[in-house]
Amino acid sequence: MNTGILLVSHGACCEGLLDTLSMVAGEQADVQALPLAEGMDPDAYREQIECWLDGYGENALIMIDVLGGTPFNQVMRLGRSRTIHAVTGMNVPMALEAVVMRNSMAPTELVDYLCASAPDGIQSVERLLAALATNDEDDDDEED
């Protein structure tokens, strides 16, 4: 069975991320988005997350948009009474890594892997361009 991945966020962010995943990596089985709609009761939202978790047991990963927000807080509440594998700060590179790696490691290992690799997805474009310019200059010097 695939490790299930649930994307949770304030509003439609998680749905947009799921659309992006589908565009880049193709349709993904066992990946679902669950947005927190404005005005939604937090307890009802938690129940939806719990219902999804019931279908996967411990073979599940929850990716959360923001540390400390309602989706995060509801996952934390669930974690008090059951095993939860979750990461916060979800973004496109992290989600891509998750769908690619989810069947080659256990959810606990996947969480560790994502936390370790997440900083690699954040780069300064200005620094990358400067490095590219330096490399181009070095290549020009070698041609002379």
Side-chain angles (χ1 to χ4, degrees), residues 6 8 34 41-58 60-64 69-86:
L6 181 65
V8 297
L34 182 60
D41 177 56
D43 292 331
Y45 187 66
R46 185 180 67 255
E47 288 172 9
Q48 289 180 8
I49 296 169
E50 188 167 30
C51 182
W52 181 87
L53 281 169
D54 288 343
Y56 291 92
E58 291 187 22
L61 172 68
I62 302 173
M63 300 184 77
I64 310 163
T70 300
F72 172 84
N73 291 335
Q74 296 311 312
V75 170
M76 291 289 287
R77 285 186 65 191
L78 287 169
R80 292 182 189 147
S81 61
R82 65 188 300 163
T83 300
I84 300 287
H85 307 290

Side-chain angles (χ1 to χ4, degrees), residues 3 61 97-98 101-102 105-114:
T3 295
L61 172 68
E97 289 281 346
M101 302 302 293
R102 66 183 166 150
M105 54 184 74
T108 301
E109 296 169 312
L110 184 57
V111 166
D112 292 341
Y113 173 79
L114 292 173

